[in-house]
Amino acid sequence: MLKLSLTLFLCLSFFLTLKYFANTRSNEAGHAKPSTLASIRGQSQSKSDSLHWPAGFTITRFAGPELTPSPACLAVAATGEVFVGVDMIGSLGKDPGKGRIVKLIDSDNDGKLDKHTDFADVDDPRGILIMGDQVFVLHTVFSKETRKATGMTLEVFEDKDHDGIADGPPRPLVEHLSNAHMLVERGTDHATNGIRMGIDGWIYIAVGDFGFHDATDRDGKKLTMLGGGIIRVRPNGKEMEVYTHGTRNIYDVAIDPYMNVFTRDNTNDGGGWNIRFSHHIQSGEYGYPLLFQHFTDEILPALVDLGGGSGTGSLFMDEPTWPEKYNHVPMTADWGRSELYINRVKPDGASFKQTEEPFIELPQITDLDVDGSGRLYLSAWDGAGYSGSASKGYVIRAIPNGWSYKAFPDVKTLAVADLANMLKSESAVARLNASQELITRPADESSKAAFAIASDAGVALYARVAALFTYGQIARESGIANLAQLTQDNALREFALRALTDRKEGIAQVPIAPFLNGLKDPSPRVKAAAIIGLGRLGRLEAASELLKTQVPASFAAPAKNTEGPHATPNSAIILPHLAVRALVSMNAVDACVGAIGTTNSTLALWALRYMYDTKAVNGLIAAYPKIKDVKTKKQILVTLARLYKQEAPYDASWWWGTRPDSHGPIYKGITWEGSARIEKFLTLERSKADAAGKQFYADLNERHQMGITAFGGEEKNVPTKEVKVDLSKILNKKGQIGNSSIEDLMLMLAKVKGDPKKGRALFTQQGCVACHSLTRGEKLKGPFMGQIGSIMNRQQIAESILKPSASISQGFATVMITAKGNKNYMGFITDESAQKIVMRNITGDVFTIKSSDVLTRKELKTSMMPVGLANALSYDEFASLVTFLSQQKN
């Protein structure tokens, strides 16, 4: 749906619906009770459908598809009201008028919904944030005249009369936040997504790799970004800026109390469609799709490659009502795996290492959020399909056993002293809401109260950090001296440095000395904050100090035609990476050229790779004959080759698709003012080389996609614009299914109907008959296909073919049993009593096992159906198979 990876399969694995959850389920002391579909849907159901949920929690139904169909996102007010983004357009739909924000209220706090309103009508809601009476929403905008998407907008609604309905039209904050051309062509599948506020007062926005062109904030500032990443903006819609770049299709951000930002990126390896969990460090480049395979020396790597999946909502849980085991952790949702994960992070230099563990299983989970009392709400798409459904989707509530409701105060009625005291709360929700309310109060009193807490060494660090950022937002330029003073505090130094340069407005008044001192600090986190701050200050006098940043031995380009370590933690690379970003941002050309051939040469040449300035080219060429070290001379040639072409300006008229050319280092290269001099110089030097030397230039030519024919090399041509696919020409091309993304296949199915007679033949030829029966007279095998068309539409059938393990049919979960006599069985259970278990395997063979003989029993999360049998099919063949199955309505 929202963002999907794929593992391609053929045989269908279910005939009912996706897995659901229990109406009320309490897990006591490790005994998990099965959920019941009937209790959720109000239908009779003879069997239960098990979901794996943790012990120690009560998880209940809160709203079903009658109120929240196709829930793409949600947010919870501190006081407990739940706002759900209903999106019946889906990720690939294109027709407006099908979305809204629904407000759900549990008035008596008994865990049951008793009021609801349609808060506002919006199309394709993708992110919601609640702050007091304000409801921030990120969504797609459609033209009333053409009914086509024109972009995405972040806007704010208000409900000052508290009637549950937005008071009037929203106020736009940032417009054109996604590629309008691709929104029209494809829908929102790689568009801009979740929003979340940090304790620093910025709204952080997850941008998919559609990118955006001329996004405009309330200052009139315009930004363009090729590819995905994180941007941020102030709640008034001003000061928009890029935070990080180089991700594929992130859906949300998790932000901890110390402003560490985490994401679960969607299928970020371009070939294997894998998930990467990342720690985002301000100004960092994460490399997708141009650097993360063959130029990994230039990026900040992800913390782990998690295999296939589809990242959606994220949250950093930091609430005192939650058990320590599940608290103070990033939680990341995976739509493709139908699971909410906990990513346990441990400090590693300026970053972290992580360990992932499953937490709450939920079919096609989309989002999550927590209120000020510790109630966690989660939304599930539940098989609503790529274009939404009016009958699928729900919201659940999860609370720790023993939890009791505690009313969240009305912060608008509290005195400044009480709000300041809330900054000391163990609850992140309380701290953030208190902070944002303090900012609205008279500055003299509120800034004094916040600074007092920030200065108090006896207060918990999370409270001091919250107070420091609150003070910075209130005091602005008048608080610079006090923030500089706080850089003397060892515990606060990192955060005070960050707060000093957090806003560009008034930054000229910020002293440079605390940052230069920070470069010498023993803490790598303080050093990172100092480097980032110097980049934001933009003062060239700092360049010589930045150039002293040590470059580790791990700074090495991958060997030719090999993929580098793009998802292996490398804390040693962080500081030099940030130093390079800072030097580039201040365009420190002279300092970098001057450092060539010195002990700081490696970092200087790294930074010069991105300085498209004729002074850089001239300096590199002038330095070359003076250098005697062979390695450094090669680095100069590499740097010049890197500078030969630059990325063409992004106008958002194209997109690189779901399988972009990841050769790198650029996508649409164009020559520039310095290119002719680079070519002339490299040609001259090549003419002096022997055969081995000429191969070096050929490799340079190929690696950097220079396009200099005389140099040779296997240069990979990159299309200059997205190719318009003519389905009629490739309809019968074999292997098309294995080479297409699941989103592209869904778009194809809307245009290609196929031949059901051909589909019937394929059902046999492709081996589906080994697993599935079509008529009731046949021997029961796997899920019965004779009525699949009355249960699923074509889109849902196609998804179940391509991703059987994502949605296992009720009663057909794969079970592994080991029994006495060194016997092993794998299949699904058709009958079970206290005395025996009857199993059927993939071919329909039946086994009866004595219960007393069972040694171990494990339910697998993967389907037992074969993998990849659909890969060789053409579009027409796949569409024919799907159409045939959709007609089975016995």
Side-chain angles (χ1 to χ4, degrees), residues 267-438:
T267 60
N268 198 357
D269 81 355
W273 306 92
N274 288 3
I275 285 290
R276 304 198 312 169
F277 178 78
S278 298
H279 172 217
H280 286 252
I281 302 175
Q282 187 173 8
S283 78
E285 169 59 53
Y286 291 80
Y288 181 86
L290 303 175
L291 303 177
F292 80 102
Q293 286 186 321
H294 306 304
F295 295 83
T296 48
D297 50 324
E298 301 185 21
I299 71 170
L300 288 183
L303 299 187
V304 67
D305 183 323
L306 295 165
S310 310
T312 45
S314 299
L315 169 73
F316 192 91
M317 176 59 73
D318 193 34
E319 296 302 317
T321 53
W322 274 62
E324 188 64 24
K325 180 180 179 181
Y326 302 109
N327 204 14
H328 317 302
V329 290
M331 295 180 174
T332 57
D334 196 300
W335 149 286
R337 298 184 182 184
S338 294
E339 188 87 49
L340 177 65
Y341 290 93
I342 287 175
N343 300 89
R344 300 195 183 279
V345 293
K346 293 183 178 180
D348 176 30
S351 186
F352 300 90
K353 291 183 178 179
Q354 75 87 51
T355 303
E356 181 179 83
E357 60 187 59
F359 181 42
I360 295 176
E361 189 177 1
L362 202 61
Q364 295 183 319
I365 180 173
T366 55
D367 209 356
L368 66 155
D369 203 9
V370 66
D371 72 5
S373 188
R375 291 174 288 194
L376 178 67
Y377 293 87
L378 306 97
S379 55
W381 196 251
D382 186 39
Y386 294 86
S387 299
S389 168
S391 61
K392 298 288 184 69
Y394 50 76
V395 175
I396 66 170
R397 187 190 78 154
I399 56 172
N401 290 347
W403 172 91
S404 61
Y405 171 72
K406 183 178 180 181
F408 194 85
D410 181 355
V411 294
K412 292 188 178 300
T413 67
L414 298 181
V416 166
D418 295 324
L419 290 169
N421 195 53
M422 281 182 70
L423 294 176
K424 302 177 186 178
S425 170
E426 294 181 69
S427 163
V429 172
R431 295 193 299 270
L432 178 59
N433 280 264
S435 175
Q436 289 300 300
E437 181 60 27
L438 273 170

Side-chain angles (χ1 to χ4, degrees), residues 670-884:
I670 58 171
T671 55
W672 61 287
E673 186 181 355
S675 299
R677 177 119 201 253
I678 293 172
E679 182 174 357
K680 182 179 180 181
F681 175 76
L682 292 178
T683 301
L684 176 62
E685 292 304 312
R686 177 181 176 275
S687 70
K688 303 173 186 177
D690 57 15
K694 285 183 170 56
Q695 182 59 48
F696 171 78
Y697 287 91
D699 289 343
L700 277 185
N701 194 41
E702 185 275 332
R703 176 171 170 77
H704 298 284
Q705 301 197 76
M706 298 170 69
I708 302 176
T709 304
F711 284 16
E714 300 173 359
E715 184 180 7
K716 193 170 186 178
N717 294 320
V718 179
T720 56
K721 64 179 181 178
E722 185 179 62
V723 178
K724 190 84 173 180
V725 176
D726 185 345
L727 280 176
S728 63
K729 292 182 179 180
I730 64 170
L731 202 58
N732 295 300
K733 181 180 178 182
K734 291 288 187 179
Q736 202 71 21
I737 301 305
N739 292 320
S740 301
S741 74
I742 196 167
E743 299 99 328
D744 291 334
L745 290 175
M746 295 305 169
L747 291 170
M748 176 275 295
L749 282 173
K751 301 175 182 178
V752 180
K753 298 307 178 186
D755 179 356
K757 291 183 180 179
K758 185 186 294 183
R760 174 181 284 276
L762 284 165
F763 188 81
T764 300
Q765 294 167 12
Q766 295 300 121
C768 294
V769 292
C771 314
H772 308 285
S773 304
L774 289 172
T775 63
R776 300 192 182 278
E778 295 179 71
K779 181 176 74 169
L780 178 64
K781 305 172 187 176
F784 178 60
M785 292 294 106
Q787 60 179 170
I788 187 71
S790 63
I791 298 166
M792 295 182 185
N793 58 32
R794 292 177 80 241
Q795 196 175 74
Q796 292 166 332
I797 291 171
E799 183 181 3
S800 70
I801 292 173
L802 297 168
K803 300 183 66 181
S805 291
S807 312
I808 309 298
S809 281
Q810 182 183 17
F812 291 99
T814 304
V815 176
M816 179 76 74
I817 288 179
T818 61
K820 293 176 182 178
N822 197 29
K823 295 180 179 179
N824 297 285
Y825 304 90
M826 186 173 74
F828 55 90
I829 294 172
T830 59
D831 190 21
E832 183 172 5
S833 68
Q835 290 76 38
K836 66 180 181 179
I837 298 172
V838 180
M839 292 183 71
R840 189 179 297 273
N841 69 11
I842 193 171
T843 61
D845 297 325
V846 178
F847 303 93
T848 300
I849 310 160
K850 290 182 179 180
S851 298
S852 59
D853 286 348
V854 174
L855 299 176
T856 64
R857 172 173 170 170
K858 183 179 180 181
E859 184 174 299
L860 305 181
K861 290 189 175 183
T862 56
S863 171
M864 63 181 178
M865 298 304 169
V867 176
L869 294 182
N871 287 7
L873 296 182
S874 68
Y875 278 170
D876 181 65
E877 288 172 329
F878 186 71
S880 296
L881 177 61
V882 170
T883 297
F884 164 68

Side-chain angles (χ1 to χ4, degrees), residues 466-525:
L468 183 153
F469 281 116
T470 303
Y471 174 77
Q473 292 172 74
I474 298 169
R476 305 287 288 273
E477 292 91 335
S478 65
I480 289 174
N482 280 338
L483 289 174
Q485 176 187 327
L486 290 177
T487 65
Q488 301 301 310
D489 186 310
N490 289 338
L492 280 189
R493 185 170 298 124
E494 169 193 345
F495 312 104
L497 289 172
R498 177 165 178 155
L500 275 167
T501 58
D502 209 29
R503 307 179 90 137
K504 292 297 185 74
E505 188 176 306
I507 204 168
Q509 301 174 38
V510 175
I512 195 173
F515 297 89
L516 296 176
N517 292 335
L519 294 179
K520 303 178 180 70
D521 197 275
S523 165
R525 291 186 64 91

